[in-house]
């Protein structure tokens, strides 16, 4: 069984993949990580995307199918650039927040807001942007309310200093880009850009918002499993 590594977003944790782990585990060895500074993981030692990618590469110690949501997709992109992987799936992701000074400033401003109001209020304010579905929004808010300032600060800085746009053409593994049709955070157009710039990448627009894997899990899982099956078949063939 081939390994699958699931990388969560900046306000998430391994819990963000509760609708994927069991389904994927029927065919794969699956790990949904808590990034450094999240969940039970210790605080990060550095705040650059290459360091996070290096930590992710150590989870299995061998090439894996890498699935990244939002910030997790930015880590996954760097992982595919710097380390061997079997495939790359970018869900509601982005090139990074270093695409402009304004985007980087907005990302860093989130840290100030978190420090000022605390994680519970921060989560209450941000969750409505991630999903219009009340049940999904409640799950997202509950997970985000457990973020730790040190972890979030380092994650935000890694985003603010990253723009993968100029190097997307160097990705040479099978790549799937998935985006929720109602994503208000990264958006469909960013997904189209990623799919256009990564050689051979395919784009799938599904239902839901930024937390599409949680809001529309059946559709997300179907698209992901189909992609992974095709990659596995090509490897064996």
């Amino acid at each position: 069984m081939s390994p699958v590594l699931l990388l969560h977003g900046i306000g998430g944790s391994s819990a963000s993949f509760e609708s994927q782990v069991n389904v994927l585990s029927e065919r794969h060895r699956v790990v949904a990580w808590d990034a450094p500074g999240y969940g039970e993981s210790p605080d990060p030692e550095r705040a650059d995307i290459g360091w996070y990618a290096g930590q992710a590469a150590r989870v299995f110690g061998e090439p894996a199918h890498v699935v990244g949501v939002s910030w997790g997709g930015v880590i996954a992109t760097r992982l595919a650039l710097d380390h061997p992987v079997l495939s790359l799936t970018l869900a509601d992701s982005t090139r990074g927040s270093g695409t402009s000074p304004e985007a980087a400033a907005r990302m860093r401003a989130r840290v100030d807001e978190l420090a000022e109001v605390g994680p519970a209020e921060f989560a209450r304010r941000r969750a409505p942007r991630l999903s219009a579905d009340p049940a999904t929004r409640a799950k997202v808010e509950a997970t985000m309310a457990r973020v730790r300032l040190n972890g979030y600060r380092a994650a935000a800085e890694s985003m603010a200093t990253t723009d993968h746009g100029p190097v997307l053409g160097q990705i040479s593994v099978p790549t799937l880009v998935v985006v929720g049709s109602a994503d208000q955070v990264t958006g469909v157009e960013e997904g189209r850009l990623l799919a256009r710039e990564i050689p051979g990448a395919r784009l799938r627009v599904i239902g839901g918002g930024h937390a599409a894997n949680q809001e529309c899990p059946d559709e997300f899982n179907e698209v992901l499993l189909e992609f992974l099956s095709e990659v596995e078949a090509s490897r064996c063939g």
Side-chain angles (χ1 to χ4, degrees):
M1 299 175 75
S2 56
V4 175
L5 177 61
L6 305 174
L7 307 177
H8 62 78
I10 195 169
S13 73
S14 58
S16 303
F17 293 106
E18 64 177 2
S19 296
Q20 279 73 57
V21 170
N22 289 339
V23 173
L24 291 170
S25 293
E26 294 177 4
R27 306 182 191 180
H28 302 275
R29 291 179 286 131
V30 180
V31 170
W33 84 338
D34 284 320
Y38 288 77
E40 299 300 316
S41 296
D43 284 350
E45 299 171 11
R46 289 169 52 185
D48 63 88
I49 212 70
W51 180 82
Y52 283 104
Q55 298 303 299
R58 295 171 58 187
V59 172
F60 282 109
E62 63 178 296
H65 298 286
V66 184
V67 181
V69 171
S70 194
W71 171 55
V74 182
I75 298 172
T77 300
R78 179 49 57 181
L79 183 56
L81 288 163
D82 290 353
H83 305 271
V85 302
L86 299 179
S87 72
L88 175 65
T89 297
L90 306 177
D92 296 283
S93 194
T94 174
R95 291 161 286 171
S97 298
T99 52
S100 71
E102 294 78 15
R106 286 194 298 270
M107 178 56 68
R108 292 184 173 112
R110 290 195 204 175
V111 180
D112 295 334
E113 183 181 4
L114 173 60
E116 178 181 352
V117 304
E121 176 61 16
F122 181 77
R124 187 191 69 79
R125 294 180 181 183
R126 289 203 59 81
R129 296 194 65 209
L130 306 186
S131 176
D133 173 64
T136 304
R137 189 165 63 243
K139 290 181 181 180
V140 168
E141 181 176 340
T143 300
M144 193 181 300
R146 294 192 289 270
V147 298
R148 289 149 42 194
L149 181 59
N150 286 345
Y152 196 95
R153 178 185 288 114
E157 187 61 23
S158 76
M159 283 287 281
T161 54
T162 298
D163 175 11
H164 281 141
V167 294
L168 292 176
Q170 298 175 21
I171 295 174
S172 59
V173 297
T175 300
L176 171 68
V177 178
V178 186
V179 59
S181 58
D183 188 339
Q184 299 179 34
V185 178
T186 55
V188 174
E189 287 309 308
E190 183 72 6
R192 292 190 192 281
L193 185 152
L194 293 173
R196 184 174 64 248
E197 296 297 323
I198 296 173
R202 67 182 70 176
L203 173 69
R204 293 294 300 270
V205 180
I206 65 173
H210 189 63
N213 72 299
Q214 298 179 71
E215 188 173 343
C216 299
D218 292 342
E219 188 177 8
F220 181 89
N221 293 345
E222 180 180 0
V223 168
L224 177 58
L225 284 170
E226 178 184 12
F227 171 68
L228 294 179
S229 294
E230 289 181 9
V231 175
E232 288 290 292
S234 66
R235 290 178 63 223
C236 296

